[in-house]
Amino acid sequence: MFSFEGFVRIDAICRGIFRVAYLSVLWLATTVLGLVVLGFGPASYAMAKSMDRWLRHGETPSVARTFVADVRERPRESMLAGWVVLGAGAVIVTNVFLAPTWILQAVNVLALVVLGVAMAYVFPVMVATDVATTRRRFAAALLIGFGSLHWTIIGAAAVGVAWWLLWTYATPLLLLFGAGLPAFVVGLVTRIVFRPLEESPEVSGLSRPSLHHQMIAPATEQVS
């Protein structure tokens, strides 16, 4: 027999699965309605903010209402980040198939991996920090992705296995969870990465700018 705590835990898991699916559908709808070019960035920003609000802050407001509000929150900046990802992705994928030598193809495959890491973390960076420019946001995204490479690899492997299982045994569910799963995994990774910065004595009780400085300053010192 299940205890009361067991039923509460099962209910929380079911609610979490529903939330991931709901956010995935909202992301897909926003992207399609924006004809991808206009919708991808704002939808991804709203997804990242919803995951950050849920996983890092424990807040679970109305999914649809807050998602729509987040889409409208920073449309220009999120669209610009989306255009960078889409444009760079189009160029790199084209080069992978049309490069005259295998060496150039391998270089472009590596560039595609780097772009994937940047795409995964650039919108959480927009949500959780005060980094002011698109270039710096992508730099911070790469710093997080490769600075926590083991979590990035584990997360990518988990998403890959989940996608393969859905594709093999429940293809319709891939459409339902396809965008929500990687966003959920990235949200878990960023929660792990950002928590020590928030709990650090130097940044305790301070605002988002302090999180940005704690994340960027060490890398700047190493470069100099």
Side-chain angles (χ1 to χ4, degrees), residues 98-131:
L98 300 182
T101 64
W102 70 267
I103 296 178
L104 290 178
Q105 288 178 327
V107 170
N108 281 279
V109 169
L110 180 61
L112 192 61
V113 172
V114 173
L115 179 64
V117 173
M119 179 180 66
Y121 294 105
V122 67
F123 295 104
V125 166
M126 289 182 63
V127 169
T129 75
D130 68 333
V131 182

PDB file of all heavy atoms in Angstrom, residues 98-131:
ATOM      1  N   LEU A  98      28.081  20.032 -47.999  1.00  0.00           N
ATOM      2  CA  LEU A  98      28.675  20.506 -49.244  1.00  0.00           C
ATOM      3  C   LEU A  98      30.183  20.726 -49.175  1.00  0.00           C
ATOM      4  O   LEU A  98      30.787  21.077 -50.194  1.00  0.00           O
ATOM      5  CB  LEU A  98      28.010  21.821 -49.672  1.00  0.00           C
ATOM      6  CG  LEU A  98      26.493  21.760 -49.933  1.00  0.00           C
ATOM      7  CD1 LEU A  98      25.981  23.114 -50.395  1.00  0.00           C
ATOM      8  CD2 LEU A  98      26.153  20.686 -50.970  1.00  0.00           C
ATOM      9  N   ALA A  99      30.784  20.524 -48.014  1.00  0.00           N
ATOM     10  CA  ALA A  99      32.237  20.718 -47.893  1.00  0.00           C
ATOM     11  C   ALA A  99      32.972  19.742 -48.803  1.00  0.00           C
ATOM     12  O   ALA A  99      32.618  18.554 -48.882  1.00  0.00           O
ATOM     13  CB  ALA A  99      32.672  20.519 -46.451  1.00  0.00           C
ATOM     14  N   PRO A 100      34.006  20.206 -49.515  1.00  0.00           N
ATOM     15  CA  PRO A 100      34.686  19.346 -50.495  1.00  0.00           C
ATOM     16  C   PRO A 100      35.556  18.262 -49.877  1.00  0.00           C
ATOM     17  O   PRO A 100      35.860  17.265 -50.525  1.00  0.00           O
ATOM     18  CB  PRO A 100      35.532  20.335 -51.296  1.00  0.00           C
ATOM     19  CG  PRO A 100      35.758  21.490 -50.360  1.00  0.00           C
ATOM     20  CD  PRO A 100      34.527  21.577 -49.535  1.00  0.00           C
ATOM     21  N   THR A 101      35.979  18.419 -48.631  1.00  0.00           N
ATOM     22  CA  THR A 101      36.850  17.434 -48.001  1.00  0.00           C
ATOM     23  C   THR A 101      36.263  17.010 -46.660  1.00  0.00           C
ATOM     24  O   THR A 101      35.490  17.744 -46.038  1.00  0.00           O
ATOM     25  CB  THR A 101      38.263  18.002 -47.768  1.00  0.00           C
ATOM     26  OG1 THR A 101      38.193  19.088 -46.835  1.00  0.00           O
ATOM     27  CG2 THR A 101      38.855  18.499 -49.091  1.00  0.00           C
ATOM     28  N   TRP A 102      36.669  15.825 -46.212  1.00  0.00           N
ATOM     29  CA  TRP A 102      36.155  15.315 -44.942  1.00  0.00           C
ATOM     30  C   TRP A 102      36.675  16.124 -43.764  1.00  0.00           C
ATOM     31  O   TRP A 102      36.016  16.194 -42.728  1.00  0.00           O
ATOM     32  CB  TRP A 102      36.534  13.842 -44.787  1.00  0.00           C
ATOM     33  CG  TRP A 102      38.001  13.596 -44.566  1.00  0.00           C
ATOM     34  CD1 TRP A 102      38.934  13.335 -45.505  1.00  0.00           C
ATOM     35  CD2 TRP A 102      38.678  13.598 -43.301  1.00  0.00           C
ATOM     36  NE1 TRP A 102      40.172  13.176 -44.931  1.00  0.00           N
ATOM     37  CE2 TRP A 102      40.046  13.319 -43.580  1.00  0.00           C
ATOM     38  CE3 TRP A 102      38.285  13.785 -41.982  1.00  0.00           C
ATOM     39  CZ2 TRP A 102      41.007  13.247 -42.571  1.00  0.00           C
ATOM     40  CZ3 TRP A 102      39.237  13.716 -40.975  1.00  0.00           C
ATOM     41  CH2 TRP A 102      40.585  13.443 -41.273  1.00  0.00           C
ATOM     42  N   ILE A 103      37.842  16.744 -43.923  1.00  0.00           N
ATOM     43  CA  ILE A 103      38.379  17.562 -42.834  1.00  0.00           C
ATOM     44  C   ILE A 103      37.465  18.760 -42.573  1.00  0.00           C
ATOM     45  O   ILE A 103      37.135  19.073 -41.420  1.00  0.00           O
ATOM     46  CB  ILE A 103      39.807  18.036 -43.159  1.00  0.00           C
ATOM     47  CG1 ILE A 103      40.760  16.839 -43.259  1.00  0.00           C
ATOM     48  CG2 ILE A 103      40.302  19.022 -42.100  1.00  0.00           C
ATOM     49  CD1 ILE A 103      42.181  17.208 -43.611  1.00  0.00           C
ATOM     50  N   LEU A 104      37.035  19.424 -43.645  1.00  0.00           N
ATOM     51  CA  LEU A 104      36.122  20.556 -43.483  1.00  0.00           C
ATOM     52  C   LEU A 104      34.780  20.092 -42.922  1.00  0.00           C
ATOM     53  O   LEU A 104      34.152  20.800 -42.126  1.00  0.00           O
ATOM     54  CB  LEU A 104      35.924  21.258 -44.822  1.00  0.00           C
ATOM     55  CG  LEU A 104      37.136  22.034 -45.366  1.00  0.00           C
ATOM     56  CD1 LEU A 104      36.813  22.631 -46.734  1.00  0.00           C
ATOM     57  CD2 LEU A 104      37.538  23.134 -44.387  1.00  0.00           C
ATOM     58  N   GLN A 105      34.341  18.916 -43.340  1.00  0.00           N
ATOM     59  CA  GLN A 105      33.102  18.381 -42.789  1.00  0.00           C
ATOM     60  C   GLN A 105      33.230  18.136 -41.290  1.00  0.00           C
ATOM     61  O   GLN A 105      32.325  18.453 -40.515  1.00  0.00           O
ATOM     62  CB  GLN A 105      32.734  17.084 -43.503  1.00  0.00           C
ATOM     63  CG  GLN A 105      32.243  17.290 -44.932  1.00  0.00           C
ATOM     64  CD  GLN A 105      31.930  15.977 -45.622  1.00  0.00           C
ATOM     65  OE1 GLN A 105      32.562  14.949 -45.373  1.00  0.00           O
ATOM     66  NE2 GLN A 105      30.926  16.000 -46.494  1.00  0.00           N
ATOM     67  N   ALA A 106      34.374  17.571 -40.873  1.00  0.00           N
ATOM     68  CA  ALA A 106      34.593  17.311 -39.451  1.00  0.00           C
ATOM     69  C   ALA A 106      34.636  18.612 -38.659  1.00  0.00           C
ATOM     70  O   ALA A 106      34.093  18.699 -37.547  1.00  0.00           O
ATOM     71  CB  ALA A 106      35.892  16.533 -39.260  1.00  0.00           C
ATOM     72  N   VAL A 107      35.278  19.636 -39.225  1.00  0.00           N
ATOM     73  CA  VAL A 107      35.343  20.938 -38.553  1.00  0.00           C
ATOM     74  C   VAL A 107      33.945  21.515 -38.378  1.00  0.00           C
ATOM     75  O   VAL A 107      33.604  22.066 -37.324  1.00  0.00           O
ATOM     76  CB  VAL A 107      36.236  21.908 -39.342  1.00  0.00           C
ATOM     77  CG1 VAL A 107      36.113  23.324 -38.800  1.00  0.00           C
ATOM     78  CG2 VAL A 107      37.695  21.454 -39.286  1.00  0.00           C
ATOM     79  N   ASN A 108      33.115  21.377 -39.401  1.00  0.00           N
ATOM     80  CA  ASN A 108      31.755  21.906 -39.318  1.00  0.00           C
ATOM     81  C   ASN A 108      30.883  21.093 -38.370  1.00  0.00           C
ATOM     82  O   ASN A 108      29.995  21.651 -37.714  1.00  0.00           O
ATOM     83  CB  ASN A 108      31.122  21.959 -40.707  1.00  0.00           C
ATOM     84  CG  ASN A 108      31.585  23.148 -41.523  1.00  0.00           C
ATOM     85  OD1 ASN A 108      31.085  24.255 -41.366  1.00  0.00           O
ATOM     86  ND2 ASN A 108      32.555  22.934 -42.391  1.00  0.00           N
ATOM     87  N   VAL A 109      31.124  19.795 -38.287  1.00  0.00           N
ATOM     88  CA  VAL A 109      30.403  18.991 -37.298  1.00  0.00           C
ATOM     89  C   VAL A 109      30.767  19.450 -35.892  1.00  0.00           C
ATOM     90  O   VAL A 109      29.898  19.574 -35.011  1.00  0.00           O
ATOM     91  CB  VAL A 109      30.718  17.489 -37.480  1.00  0.00           C
ATOM     92  CG1 VAL A 109      30.191  16.688 -36.295  1.00  0.00           C
ATOM     93  CG2 VAL A 109      30.107  16.976 -38.776  1.00  0.00           C
ATOM     94  N   LEU A 110      32.056  19.723 -35.668  1.00  0.00           N
ATOM     95  CA  LEU A 110      32.498  20.245 -34.369  1.00  0.00           C
ATOM     96  C   LEU A 110      31.854  21.601 -34.093  1.00  0.00           C
ATOM     97  O   LEU A 110      31.413  21.880 -32.967  1.00  0.00           O
ATOM     98  CB  LEU A 110      34.018  20.354 -34.343  1.00  0.00           C
ATOM     99  CG  LEU A 110      34.644  20.894 -33.048  1.00  0.00           C
ATOM    100  CD1 LEU A 110      34.301  19.972 -31.880  1.00  0.00           C
ATOM    101  CD2 LEU A 110      36.164  21.015 -33.203  1.00  0.00           C
ATOM    102  N   ALA A 111      31.785  22.446 -35.124  1.00  0.00           N
ATOM    103  CA  ALA A 111      31.143  23.752 -34.963  1.00  0.00           C
ATOM    104  C   ALA A 111      29.663  23.590 -34.642  1.00  0.00           C
ATOM    105  O   ALA A 111      29.093  24.373 -33.858  1.00  0.00           O
ATOM    106  CB  ALA A 111      31.324  24.581 -36.235  1.00  0.00           C
ATOM    107  N   LEU A 112      29.038  22.563 -35.202  1.00  0.00           N
ATOM    108  CA  LEU A 112      27.625  22.310 -34.917  1.00  0.00           C
ATOM    109  C   LEU A 112      27.430  21.906 -33.460  1.00  0.00           C
ATOM    110  O   LEU A 112      26.444  22.304 -32.820  1.00  0.00           O
ATOM    111  CB  LEU A 112      27.102  21.211 -35.844  1.00  0.00           C
ATOM    112  CG  LEU A 112      25.579  21.010 -35.884  1.00  0.00           C
ATOM    113  CD1 LEU A 112      24.883  22.268 -36.372  1.00  0.00           C
ATOM    114  CD2 LEU A 112      25.233  19.826 -36.783  1.00  0.00           C
ATOM    115  N   VAL A 113      28.367  21.135 -32.923  1.00  0.00           N
ATOM    116  CA  VAL A 113      28.302  20.769 -31.509  1.00  0.00           C
ATOM    117  C   VAL A 113      28.432  22.012 -30.621  1.00  0.00           C
ATOM    118  O   VAL A 113      27.686  22.186 -29.652  1.00  0.00           O
ATOM    119  CB  VAL A 113      29.401  19.741 -31.168  1.00  0.00           C
ATOM    120  CG1 VAL A 113      29.474  19.506 -29.660  1.00  0.00           C
ATOM    121  CG2 VAL A 113      29.157  18.430 -31.901  1.00  0.00           C
ATOM    122  N   VAL A 114      29.391  22.874 -30.965  1.00  0.00           N
ATOM    123  CA  VAL A 114      29.582  24.114 -30.195  1.00  0.00           C
ATOM    124  C   VAL A 114      28.316  24.967 -30.256  1.00  0.00           C
ATOM    125  O   VAL A 114      27.877  25.528 -29.243  1.00  0.00           O
ATOM    126  CB  VAL A 114      30.793  24.891 -30.733  1.00  0.00           C
ATOM    127  CG1 VAL A 114      30.900  26.257 -30.055  1.00  0.00           C
ATOM    128  CG2 VAL A 114      32.078  24.093 -30.520  1.00  0.00           C
ATOM    129  N   LEU A 115      27.717  25.055 -31.443  1.00  0.00           N
ATOM    130  CA  LEU A 115      26.485  25.831 -31.586  1.00  0.00           C
ATOM    131  C   LEU A 115      25.363  25.221 -30.753  1.00  0.00           C
ATOM    132  O   LEU A 115      24.570  25.953 -30.145  1.00  0.00           O
ATOM    133  CB  LEU A 115      26.074  25.897 -33.056  1.00  0.00           C
ATOM    134  CG  LEU A 115      24.774  26.656 -33.349  1.00  0.00           C
ATOM    135  CD1 LEU A 115      24.913  28.126 -32.967  1.00  0.00           C
ATOM    136  CD2 LEU A 115      24.389  26.522 -34.822  1.00  0.00           C
ATOM    137  N   GLY A 116      25.303  23.887 -30.713  1.00  0.00           N
ATOM    138  CA  GLY A 116      24.286  23.233 -29.905  1.00  0.00           C
ATOM    139  C   GLY A 116      24.428  23.563 -28.425  1.00  0.00           C
ATOM    140  O   GLY A 116      23.427  23.797 -27.731  1.00  0.00           O
ATOM    141  N   VAL A 117      25.671  23.591 -27.942  1.00  0.00           N
ATOM    142  CA  VAL A 117      25.908  23.954 -26.544  1.00  0.00           C
ATOM    143  C   VAL A 117      25.495  25.407 -26.293  1.00  0.00           C
ATOM    144  O   VAL A 117      24.839  25.721 -25.291  1.00  0.00           O
ATOM    145  CB  VAL A 117      27.389  23.738 -26.178  1.00  0.00           C
ATOM    146  CG1 VAL A 117      27.689  24.277 -24.784  1.00  0.00           C
ATOM    147  CG2 VAL A 117      27.750  22.260 -26.267  1.00  0.00           C
ATOM    148  N   ALA A 118      25.875  26.287 -27.210  1.00  0.00           N
ATOM    149  CA  ALA A 118      25.507  27.696 -27.053  1.00  0.00           C
ATOM    150  C   ALA A 118      23.996  27.875 -27.079  1.00  0.00           C
ATOM    151  O   ALA A 118      23.435  28.631 -26.266  1.00  0.00           O
ATOM    152  CB  ALA A 118      26.157  28.527 -28.163  1.00  0.00           C
ATOM    153  N   MET A 119      23.322  27.176 -27.993  1.00  0.00           N
ATOM    154  CA  MET A 119      21.865  27.281 -28.093  1.00  0.00           C
ATOM    155  C   MET A 119      21.188  26.785 -26.825  1.00  0.00           C
ATOM    156  O   MET A 119      20.180  27.336 -26.379  1.00  0.00           O
ATOM    157  CB  MET A 119      21.361  26.484 -29.292  1.00  0.00           C
ATOM    158  CG  MET A 119      19.852  26.512 -29.488  1.00  0.00           C
ATOM    159  SD  MET A 119      19.321  25.548 -30.919  1.00  0.00           S
ATOM    160  CE  MET A 119      19.763  23.889 -30.370  1.00  0.00           C
ATOM    161  N   ALA A 120      21.749  25.735 -26.215  1.00  0.00           N
ATOM    162  CA  ALA A 120      21.136  25.165 -25.015  1.00  0.00           C
ATOM    163  C   ALA A 120      21.157  26.137 -23.843  1.00  0.00           C
ATOM    164  O   ALA A 120      20.203  26.170 -23.043  1.00  0.00           O
ATOM    165  CB  ALA A 120      21.854  23.869 -24.640  1.00  0.00           C
ATOM    166  N   TYR A 121      22.217  26.935 -23.733  1.00  0.00           N
ATOM    167  CA  TYR A 121      22.397  27.747 -22.523  1.00  0.00           C
ATOM    168  C   TYR A 121      22.194  29.245 -22.727  1.00  0.00           C
ATOM    169  O   TYR A 121      22.132  29.981 -21.732  1.00  0.00           O
ATOM    170  CB  TYR A 121      23.791  27.509 -21.943  1.00  0.00           C
ATOM    171  CG  TYR A 121      23.992  26.112 -21.422  1.00  0.00           C
ATOM    172  CD1 TYR A 121      24.747  25.185 -22.134  1.00  0.00           C
ATOM    173  CD2 TYR A 121      23.427  25.704 -20.223  1.00  0.00           C
ATOM    174  CE1 TYR A 121      24.934  23.896 -21.659  1.00  0.00           C
ATOM    175  CE2 TYR A 121      23.608  24.415 -19.736  1.00  0.00           C
ATOM    176  CZ  TYR A 121      24.362  23.521 -20.467  1.00  0.00           C
ATOM    177  OH  TYR A 121      24.541  22.242 -19.991  1.00  0.00           O
ATOM    178  N   VAL A 122      22.111  29.720 -23.962  1.00  0.00           N
ATOM    179  CA  VAL A 122      22.048  31.171 -24.155  1.00  0.00           C
ATOM    180  C   VAL A 122      20.749  31.756 -23.601  1.00  0.00           C
ATOM    181  O   VAL A 122      20.748  32.850 -23.010  1.00  0.00           O
ATOM    182  CB  VAL A 122      22.219  31.538 -25.650  1.00  0.00           C
ATOM    183  CG1 VAL A 122      21.042  31.068 -26.491  1.00  0.00           C
ATOM    184  CG2 VAL A 122      22.424  33.038 -25.798  1.00  0.00           C
ATOM    185  N   PHE A 123      19.638  31.046 -23.737  1.00  0.00           N
ATOM    186  CA  PHE A 123      18.376  31.586 -23.227  1.00  0.00           C
ATOM    187  C   PHE A 123      18.297  31.506 -21.696  1.00  0.00           C
ATOM    188  O   PHE A 123      17.814  32.467 -21.069  1.00  0.00           O
ATOM    189  CB  PHE A 123      17.196  30.886 -23.898  1.00  0.00           C
ATOM    190  CG  PHE A 123      17.112  31.165 -25.374  1.00  0.00           C
ATOM    191  CD1 PHE A 123      17.504  30.215 -26.302  1.00  0.00           C
ATOM    192  CD2 PHE A 123      16.667  32.395 -25.837  1.00  0.00           C
ATOM    193  CE1 PHE A 123      17.449  30.474 -27.662  1.00  0.00           C
ATOM    194  CE2 PHE A 123      16.604  32.672 -27.199  1.00  0.00           C
ATOM    195  CZ  PHE A 123      16.997  31.712 -28.117  1.00  0.00           C
ATOM    196  N   PRO A 124      18.770  30.428 -21.053  1.00  0.00           N
ATOM    197  CA  PRO A 124      18.880  30.476 -19.594  1.00  0.00           C
ATOM    198  C   PRO A 124      19.783  31.598 -19.099  1.00  0.00           C
ATOM    199  O   PRO A 124      19.526  32.175 -18.033  1.00  0.00           O
ATOM    200  CB  PRO A 124      19.459  29.095 -19.241  1.00  0.00           C
ATOM    201  CG  PRO A 124      18.963  28.200 -20.321  1.00  0.00           C
ATOM    202  CD  PRO A 124      18.986  29.057 -21.556  1.00  0.00           C
ATOM    203  N   VAL A 125      20.841  31.922 -19.842  1.00  0.00           N
ATOM    204  CA  VAL A 125      21.696  33.051 -19.469  1.00  0.00           C
ATOM    205  C   VAL A 125      20.910  34.352 -19.525  1.00  0.00           C
ATOM    206  O   VAL A 125      21.020  35.206 -18.639  1.00  0.00           O
ATOM    207  CB  VAL A 125      22.930  33.119 -20.397  1.00  0.00           C
ATOM    208  CG1 VAL A 125      23.649  34.465 -20.256  1.00  0.00           C
ATOM    209  CG2 VAL A 125      23.901  31.996 -20.071  1.00  0.00           C
ATOM    210  N   MET A 126      20.080  34.515 -20.543  1.00  0.00           N
ATOM    211  CA  MET A 126      19.240  35.702 -20.643  1.00  0.00           C
ATOM    212  C   MET A 126      18.299  35.801 -19.450  1.00  0.00           C
ATOM    213  O   MET A 126      18.031  36.895 -18.943  1.00  0.00           O
ATOM    214  CB  MET A 126      18.435  35.675 -21.943  1.00  0.00           C
ATOM    215  CG  MET A 126      19.232  35.909 -23.203  1.00  0.00           C
ATOM    216  SD  MET A 126      18.174  35.907 -24.679  1.00  0.00           S
ATOM    217  CE  MET A 126      17.117  37.318 -24.336  1.00  0.00           C
ATOM    218  N   VAL A 127      17.792  34.662 -19.011  1.00  0.00           N
ATOM    219  CA  VAL A 127      16.819  34.643 -17.922  1.00  0.00           C
ATOM    220  C   VAL A 127      17.474  34.929 -16.579  1.00  0.00           C
ATOM    221  O   VAL A 127      16.960  35.715 -15.774  1.00  0.00           O
ATOM    222  CB  VAL A 127      16.100  33.276 -17.888  1.00  0.00           C
ATOM    223  CG1 VAL A 127      15.276  33.136 -16.614  1.00  0.00           C
ATOM    224  CG2 VAL A 127      15.220  33.106 -19.117  1.00  0.00           C
ATOM    225  N   ALA A 128      18.626  34.306 -16.304  1.00  0.00           N
ATOM    226  CA  ALA A 128      19.185  34.294 -14.953  1.00  0.00           C
ATOM    227  C   ALA A 128      20.267  35.331 -14.710  1.00  0.00           C
ATOM    228  O   ALA A 128      20.680  35.510 -13.562  1.00  0.00           O
ATOM    229  CB  ALA A 128      19.757  32.904 -14.644  1.00  0.00           C
ATOM    230  N   THR A 129      20.750  36.011 -15.743  1.00  0.00           N
ATOM    231  CA  THR A 129      21.816  36.989 -15.559  1.00  0.00           C
ATOM    232  C   THR A 129      21.435  38.315 -16.201  1.00  0.00           C
ATOM    233  O   THR A 129      20.408  38.432 -16.868  1.00  0.00           O
ATOM    234  CB  THR A 129      23.143  36.492 -16.171  1.00  0.00           C
ATOM    235  OG1 THR A 129      23.077  36.595 -17.604  1.00  0.00           O
ATOM    236  CG2 THR A 129      23.421  35.048 -15.802  1.00  0.00           C
ATOM    237  N   ASP A 130      22.320  39.294 -16.001  1.00  0.00           N
ATOM    238  CA  ASP A 130      22.083  40.613 -16.590  1.00  0.00           C
ATOM    239  C   ASP A 130      23.074  40.890 -17.721  1.00  0.00           C
ATOM    240  O   ASP A 130      23.357  42.047 -18.014  1.00  0.00           O
ATOM    241  CB  ASP A 130      22.189  41.695 -15.510  1.00  0.00           C
ATOM    242  CG  ASP A 130      23.614  41.845 -14.993  1.00  0.00           C
ATOM    243  OD1 ASP A 130      24.378  40.858 -15.056  1.00  0.00           O
ATOM    244  OD2 ASP A 130      23.969  42.948 -14.542  1.00  0.00           O
ATOM    245  N   VAL A 131      23.620  39.853 -18.345  1.00  0.00           N
ATOM    246  CA  VAL A 131      24.564  40.053 -19.445  1.00  0.00           C
ATOM    247  C   VAL A 131      23.887  40.898 -20.524  1.00  0.00           C
ATOM    248  O   VAL A 131      22.783  40.592 -20.969  1.00  0.00           O
ATOM    249  CB  VAL A 131      25.014  38.700 -20.021  1.00  0.00           C
ATOM    250  CG1 VAL A 131      26.024  38.900 -21.135  1.00  0.00           C
ATOM    251  CG2 VAL A 131      25.620  37.845 -18.922  1.00  0.00           C
TER     252      VAL A 131
END
